[in-house]
Coordinates of all heavy atoms in Angstrom, one line a residue:
R99 N 46.1 14.8 -9.9 CA 46.7 14.3 -8.6 C 46.3 12.9 -8.3 O 45.2 12.5 -8.6 CB 46.1 15.2 -7.4 CG 46.7 16.6 -7.5 CD 46.2 17.4 -6.3 NE 46.8 16.9 -5.1 CZ 47.8 17.5 -4.4 NH1 48.2 18.6 -4.8 NH2 48.3 17.0 -3.3
G100 N 47.2 12.2 -7.7 CA 46.9 10.8 -7.4 C 46.1 10.7 -6.1 O 45.9 11.6 -5.4
P101 N 45.6 9.5 -5.8 CA 44.8 9.3 -4.7 C 45.5 9.0 -3.4 O 44.8 8.8 -2.4 CB 44.0 8.1 -5.1 CG 44.9 7.3 -5.9 CD 45.7 8.3 -6.7
F102 N 46.8 9.0 -3.4 CA 47.6 8.5 -2.2 C 48.2 9.6 -1.5 O 48.8 10.6 -2.0 CB 48.7 7.5 -2.7 CG 48.1 6.2 -3.3 CD1 48.2 6.1 -4.7 CD2 47.5 5.2 -2.5 CE1 47.7 4.9 -5.3 CE2 47.0 4.1 -3.2 CZ 47.1 4.0 -4.5
S103 N 48.1 9.5 -0.1 CA 48.9 10.4 0.7 C 49.2 9.7 2.0 O 48.8 8.5 2.2 CB 48.0 11.7 1.1 OG 46.8 11.3 1.7
Y104 N 50.0 10.3 2.9 CA 50.3 9.7 4.2 C 50.3 10.8 5.3 O 50.6 12.0 5.0 CB 51.6 8.9 4.1 CG 52.8 9.8 3.9 CD1 53.6 10.2 5.0 CD2 53.2 10.3 2.7 CE1 54.7 11.0 4.8 CE2 54.4 11.1 2.5 CZ 55.1 11.4 3.5 OH 56.2 12.3 3.4
P105 N 50.0 10.4 6.5 CA 50.0 11.4 7.6 C 51.4 11.8 7.9 O 52.3 10.9 7.9 CB 49.4 10.6 8.7 CG 48.7 9.4 8.2 CD 49.4 9.1 6.9
V106 N 51.7 13.0 8.2 CA 53.0 13.5 8.6 C 52.9 14.0 10.1 O 53.9 14.5 10.6 CB 53.5 14.6 7.7 CG1 53.8 14.0 6.3 CG2 52.6 15.8 7.6
M107 N 51.8 13.9 10.7 CA 51.6 14.2 12.1 C 50.7 13.2 12.8 O 49.8 12.6 12.1 CB 51.2 15.7 12.3 CG 49.9 16.0 11.8 SD 49.3 17.7 12.3 CE 50.6 18.8 11.7
T108 N 50.9 13.0 14.0 CA 50.1 12.1 14.8 C 48.8 12.9 15.2 O 48.8 14.2 15.0 CB 50.7 11.7 16.1 OG1 51.0 12.9 16.9 CG2 52.1 11.0 15.8
L109 N 47.8 12.2 15.8 CA 46.6 12.9 16.2 C 47.0 13.9 17.3 O 46.4 15.0 17.4 CB 45.6 12.0 16.6 CG 44.9 11.3 15.5 CD1 44.0 10.1 16.0 CD2 44.1 12.2 14.6
D110 N 47.8 13.5 18.3 CA 48.3 14.4 19.3 C 49.0 15.7 18.8 O 48.7 16.8 19.3 CB 49.2 13.7 20.3 CG 48.5 12.7 21.2 OD1 47.2 12.9 21.4 OD2 49.1 11.9 21.8
E111 N 49.8 15.5 17.8 CA 50.5 16.6 17.2 C 49.5 17.5 16.5 O 49.6 18.7 16.5 CB 51.5 16.2 16.2 CG 52.8 15.6 16.8 CD 53.7 14.8 15.8 OE1 53.2 14.3 14.8 OE2 54.9 14.7 16.1
C112 N 48.5 16.9 15.8 CA 47.4 17.7 15.1 C 46.6 18.5 16.2 O 46.3 19.7 15.9 CB 46.5 16.7 14.4 SG 45.2 17.6 13.4
H113 N 46.3 17.9 17.3 CA 45.6 18.5 18.3 C 46.3 19.8 18.9 O 45.7 20.8 19.1 CB 45.2 17.6 19.4 CG 44.6 18.3 20.6 ND1 43.3 18.9 20.5 CD2 44.9 18.5 21.9 CE1 43.0 19.4 21.7 NE2 44.0 19.1 22.5
R114 N 47.6 19.6 19.0 CA 48.5 20.7 19.5 C 48.9 21.8 18.5 O 49.4 22.8 18.8 CB 49.7 20.2 20.2 CG 49.4 19.4 21.5 CD 50.7 19.1 22.2 NE 51.7 18.4 21.4 CZ 51.8 17.1 21.2 NH1 51.0 16.3 21.8 NH2 52.8 16.6 20.5
A115 N 48.7 21.4 17.2 CA 49.2 22.3 16.1 C 48.5 23.6 16.1 O 47.3 23.7 16.4 CB 49.1 21.6 14.7
D116 N 49.1 24.6 15.6 CA 48.6 25.9 15.4 C 48.1 26.1 14.0 O 48.8 26.2 13.0 CB 49.6 27.0 15.7 CG 49.1 28.4 15.5 OD1 47.9 28.6 15.3 OD2 49.9 29.4 15.6
F117 N 46.8 26.0 13.8 CA 46.2 26.1 12.5 C 45.5 27.5 12.3 O 44.6 27.7 11.5 CB 45.2 25.0 12.3 CG 45.8 23.6 12.1 CD1 45.5 22.7 13.1 CD2 46.6 23.3 11.1 CE1 46.0 21.4 13.0 CE2 47.2 22.0 11.0 CZ 46.9 21.1 12.0
S118 N 45.9 28.4 13.2 CA 45.3 29.8 13.1 C 45.4 30.5 11.8 O 44.6 31.3 11.4 CB 45.8 30.7 14.3 OG 47.2 30.8 14.1
D119 N 46.4 30.1 11.0 CA 46.6 30.7 9.7 C 45.5 30.3 8.7 O 45.3 30.8 7.6 CB 47.9 30.4 9.0 CG 49.1 31.1 9.7 OD1 48.8 32.1 10.4 OD2 50.2 30.7 9.4
F120 N 44.7 29.3 9.1 CA 43.6 28.8 8.2 C 42.2 29.1 8.8 O 41.2 28.8 8.1 CB 43.7 27.2 8.1 CG 45.0 26.8 7.5 CD1 46.1 26.4 8.2 CD2 45.1 26.8 6.1 CE1 47.2 26.0 7.6 CE2 46.2 26.4 5.5 CZ 47.3 26.0 6.2
E121 N 42.2 29.8 9.9 CA 40.8 30.2 10.5 C 40.2 31.4 9.8 O 40.3 32.5 10.2 CB 41.0 30.4 12.0 CG 41.4 29.2 12.8 CD 40.4 28.2 12.9 OE1 39.2 28.4 12.6 OE2 40.8 27.0 13.4
T122 N 39.5 31.1 8.7 CA 38.7 32.1 8.0 C 37.4 31.5 7.7 O 37.2 30.2 7.7 CB 39.3 32.5 6.6 OG1 39.3 31.3 5.7 CG2 40.8 33.0 6.7
F123 N 36.4 32.3 7.4 CA 35.1 31.8 7.2 C 35.0 31.0 5.9 O 34.3 30.0 5.8 CB 34.0 32.9 7.2 CG 32.6 32.4 7.2 CD1 32.1 31.6 8.3 CD2 31.8 32.6 6.1 CE1 30.8 31.1 8.2 CE2 30.5 32.1 6.0 CZ 30.0 31.4 7.1
D124 N 35.7 31.4 4.9 CA 35.7 30.7 3.6 C 36.4 29.3 3.9 O 35.8 28.3 3.3 CB 36.5 31.4 2.5 CG 35.7 32.6 2.0 OD1 34.5 32.8 2.3 OD2 36.2 33.3 1.1
N125 N 37.5 29.2 4.6 CA 38.0 27.9 4.9 C 37.1 27.0 5.8 O 37.0 25.8 5.6 CB 39.4 28.1 5.6 CG 40.5 28.4 4.7 OD1 40.4 28.2 3.5 ND2 41.6 28.8 5.2
Y126 N 36.4 27.7 6.7 CA 35.4 27.0 7.5 C 34.3 26.4 6.5 O 34.0 25.2 6.7 CB 34.7 28.0 8.5 CG 33.4 27.4 9.1 CD1 33.4 26.4 10.0 CD2 32.2 27.8 8.5 CE1 32.2 25.9 10.5 CE2 31.0 27.2 8.9 CZ 31.1 26.3 9.9 OH 29.8 25.8 10.4
C127 N 33.9 27.2 5.6 CA 32.8 26.7 4.7 C 33.4 25.5 3.8 O 32.7 24.6 3.6 CB 32.3 27.9 3.8 SG 31.3 29.0 4.7
Y128 N 34.6 25.7 3.3 CA 35.3 24.6 2.6 C 35.4 23.3 3.4 O 35.0 22.3 3.0 CB 36.6 25.1 2.1 CG 37.4 24.2 1.2 CD1 37.4 24.5 -0.2 CD2 38.0 23.0 1.6 CE1 38.1 23.7 -1.1 CE2 38.6 22.2 0.7 CZ 38.7 22.5 -0.6 OH 39.3 21.7 -1.5
A129 N 35.9 23.5 4.6 CA 36.1 22.3 5.5 C 34.7 21.7 5.9 O 34.5 20.5 5.9 CB 36.9 22.7 6.7
M130 N 33.7 22.5 6.2 CA 32.4 22.0 6.6 C 31.7 21.4 5.5 O 31.0 20.4 5.6 CB 31.6 23.1 7.2 CG 30.3 22.6 7.9 SD 30.5 21.3 9.1 CE 31.0 22.2 10.6
F131 N 31.9 21.9 4.2 CA 31.4 21.3 3.0 C 31.9 19.9 2.9 O 31.2 18.9 2.7 CB 31.7 22.1 1.8 CG 31.1 21.5 0.5 CD1 29.9 21.8 0.1 CD2 31.9 20.7 -0.3 CE1 29.4 21.3 -1.1 CE2 31.5 20.2 -1.5 CZ 30.1 20.4 -1.9
A132 N 33.2 19.7 3.1 CA 33.9 18.4 3.0 C 33.4 17.5 4.1 O 33.2 16.3 3.9 CB 35.4 18.6 3.1
F133 N 33.2 18.1 5.3 CA 32.8 17.3 6.5 C 31.3 16.8 6.2 O 31.0 15.7 6.6 CB 32.9 18.1 7.7 CG 32.7 17.3 9.0 CD1 33.7 16.4 9.4 CD2 31.6 17.4 9.8 CE1 33.6 15.6 10.5 CE2 31.5 16.6 10.9 CZ 32.5 15.8 11.3
Q134 N 30.5 17.7 5.7 CA 29.1 17.3 5.4 C 29.1 16.2 4.4 O 28.3 15.2 4.5 CB 28.4 18.5 4.9 CG 26.8 18.2 4.7 CD 26.5 17.8 3.3 OE1 27.3 18.0 2.3 NE2 25.3 17.3 3.1
Q135 N 30.0 16.2 3.4 CA 30.0 15.1 2.5 C 30.5 13.8 3.2 O 29.9 12.7 2.9 CB 31.1 15.4 1.4 CG 30.6 16.4 0.4 CD 31.7 16.5 -0.8 OE1 32.9 16.4 -0.5 NE2 31.2 16.6 -2.0
L136 N 31.4 13.9 4.1 CA 31.9 12.8 4.8 C 30.7 12.2 5.7 O 30.5 11.0 5.7 CB 33.0 13.2 5.8 CG 33.8 12.1 6.5 CD1 34.5 11.2 5.5 CD2 34.9 12.8 7.3
I137 N 29.9 13.0 6.3 CA 28.8 12.6 7.1 C 27.8 11.9 6.2 O 27.3 10.8 6.5 CB 28.2 13.7 7.9 CG1 29.1 14.2 9.0 CG2 26.9 13.3 8.5 CD1 28.8 15.5 9.6
D138 N 27.4 12.6 5.1 CA 26.4 12.0 4.2 C 26.8 10.6 3.7 O 26.0 9.7 3.5 CB 26.2 12.9 3.0 CG 25.2 14.0 3.3 OD1 24.6 14.0 4.4 OD2 24.9 14.9 2.5
Q139 N 28.1 10.5 3.3 CA 28.6 9.3 2.7 C 28.9 8.2 3.7 O 29.1 7.0 3.3 CB 29.8 9.5 1.8 CG 29.4 10.4 0.6 CD 30.5 10.6 -0.4 OE1 31.6 10.0 -0.4 NE2 30.3 11.6 -1.3
T140 N 29.0 8.5 5.0 CA 29.2 7.5 6.0 C 28.1 7.2 6.9 O 28.0 6.2 7.5 CB 30.5 7.8 6.8 OG1 30.3 9.1 7.5 CG2 31.7 7.9 5.9
S141 N 27.1 8.2 7.0 CA 26.1 8.0 8.0 C 24.8 8.7 7.7 O 23.8 8.4 8.4 CB 26.6 8.3 9.4 OG 27.0 9.6 9.5
G142 N 24.7 9.6 6.8 CA 23.5 10.3 6.6 C 23.3 11.5 7.6 O 24.2 12.0 8.1
R143 N 22.0 11.8 7.8 CA 21.7 13.0 8.7 C 22.1 12.8 10.2 O 22.4 13.7 10.9 CB 20.2 13.4 8.6 CG 19.9 14.0 7.3 CD 18.6 14.6 7.3 NE 18.6 15.7 8.3 CZ 17.4 16.2 8.8 NH1 16.3 15.8 8.4 NH2 17.5 17.2 9.7
E144 N 22.0 11.6 10.6 CA 22.5 11.3 11.9 C 23.9 10.9 11.9 O 24.4 10.0 11.2 CB 21.6 10.1 12.5 CG 22.0 9.9 14.0 CD 21.0 8.9 14.6 OE1 19.8 9.0 14.5 OE2 21.5 8.0 15.3
V145 N 24.7 11.6 12.7 CA 26.2 11.4 12.7 C 26.5 10.1 13.3 O 26.0 9.9 14.5 CB 26.9 12.6 13.4 CG1 28.4 12.3 13.4 CG2 26.6 13.9 12.7
N146 N 27.2 9.2 12.7 CA 27.6 7.9 13.3 C 28.8 8.2 14.3 O 29.9 8.4 13.8 CB 28.0 7.0 12.2 CG 28.4 5.6 12.8 OD1 28.5 5.5 14.0 ND2 28.6 4.7 11.9
L147 N 28.5 8.3 15.5 CA 29.5 8.7 16.5 C 30.6 7.5 16.6 O 31.7 7.8 17.1 CB 28.9 9.0 17.8 CG 28.0 10.2 17.8 CD1 27.3 10.4 19.1 CD2 28.8 11.5 17.4
D148 N 30.3 6.3 16.2 CA 31.3 5.3 16.2 C 32.5 5.5 15.3 O 33.5 4.9 15.5 CB 30.6 3.9 15.8 CG 29.6 3.5 16.9 OD1 29.8 3.9 18.0 OD2 28.7 2.7 16.5
V149 N 32.3 6.4 14.3 CA 33.4 6.6 13.4 C 33.9 8.1 13.5 O 34.8 8.5 12.7 CB 33.0 6.3 11.9 CG1 32.7 4.9 11.7 CG2 31.8 7.2 11.4
R150 N 33.5 8.7 14.5 CA 34.1 10.1 14.8 C 35.0 10.0 16.0 O 35.0 9.0 16.8 CB 32.9 11.0 15.2 CG 31.9 11.2 14.1 CD 32.3 12.2 13.0 NE 33.6 12.2 12.5 CZ 34.0 11.6 11.3 NH1 33.1 10.9 10.6 NH2 35.2 11.6 10.9
S151 N 35.9 11.0 16.1 CA 36.8 11.0 17.3 C 36.1 11.2 18.6 O 34.9 11.7 18.6 CB 37.9 12.1 17.1 OG 37.3 13.3 17.4
D152 N 36.7 10.9 19.7 CA 36.1 11.2 21.0 C 36.1 12.7 21.3 O 35.5 13.1 22.3 CB 36.8 10.4 22.1 CG 38.3 10.7 22.2 OD1 38.8 11.5 21.4 OD2 39.0 10.1 23.1
R153 N 36.7 13.5 20.4 CA 36.7 14.9 20.6 C 35.5 15.6 19.8 O 35.2 16.8 20.0 CB 38.0 15.5 20.1 CG 39.2 15.0 20.8 CD 40.5 15.5 20.2 NE 40.5 17.0 20.3 CZ 40.7 17.7 21.4 NH1 41.0 17.0 22.5 NH2 40.7 19.0 21.4
F154 N 34.8 14.8 19.0 CA 33.8 15.4 18.1 C 32.7 16.1 18.8 O 32.4 17.2 18.5 CB 33.3 14.3 17.2 CG 32.1 14.8 16.4 CD1 32.3 15.6 15.2 CD2 30.8 14.5 16.7 CE1 31.2 16.0 14.5 CE2 29.7 15.0 16.0 CZ 30.0 15.7 14.9
L155 N 32.2 15.4 19.8 CA 31.0 16.1 20.5 C 31.4 17.4 21.2 O 30.7 18.4 21.0 CB 30.5 15.1 21.7 CG 29.5 14.1 21.2 CD1 29.2 13.1 22.4 CD2 28.3 14.7 20.7
E156 N 32.5 17.5 21.8 CA 32.9 18.7 22.5 C 33.5 19.8 21.6 O 33.2 20.9 21.7 CB 34.0 18.4 23.6 CG 34.4 19.6 24.4 CD 35.4 19.2 25.4 OE1 35.4 18.1 25.9 OE2 36.2 20.1 25.8
E157 N 34.3 19.4 20.6 CA 35.1 20.3 19.8 C 34.4 20.7 18.5 O 34.7 21.7 17.9 CB 36.4 19.8 19.4 CG 37.3 19.6 20.6 CD 37.6 20.8 21.3 OE1 37.8 21.9 20.7 OE2 37.7 20.8 22.6
V158 N 33.4 19.9 18.0 CA 32.7 20.2 16.8 C 31.2 20.4 17.0 O 30.7 21.5 16.8 CB 33.0 19.1 15.6 CG1 32.2 19.5 14.4 CG2 34.5 19.0 15.3

Side-chain angles (χ1 to χ4, degrees):
R99 288 184 71 107
F102 298 105
S103 61
Y104 67 98
V106 295
M107 62 174 58
T108 65
L109 288 171
D110 285 340
E111 290 169 333
C112 183
H113 175 64
R114 291 189 311 269
D116 179 5
F117 294 114
S118 59
D119 286 348
F120 296 98
E121 295 290 346
T122 67
F123 188 65
D124 284 357
N125 281 345
Y126 163 81
C127 289
Y128 187 103
M130 190 53 81
F131 181 86
F133 194 71
Q134 185 268 343
Q135 285 185 323
L136 190 61
I137 291 168
D138 276 358
Q139 292 182 18
T140 57
S141 58
R143 287 193 63 198
E144 187 172 311
V145 178
N146 182 353
L147 297 174
D148 291 335
V149 297
R150 300 280 40 98
S151 80
D152 58 359
R153 304 179 56 76
F154 173 77
L155 276 174
E156 184 180 331
E157 297 297 321
V158 178

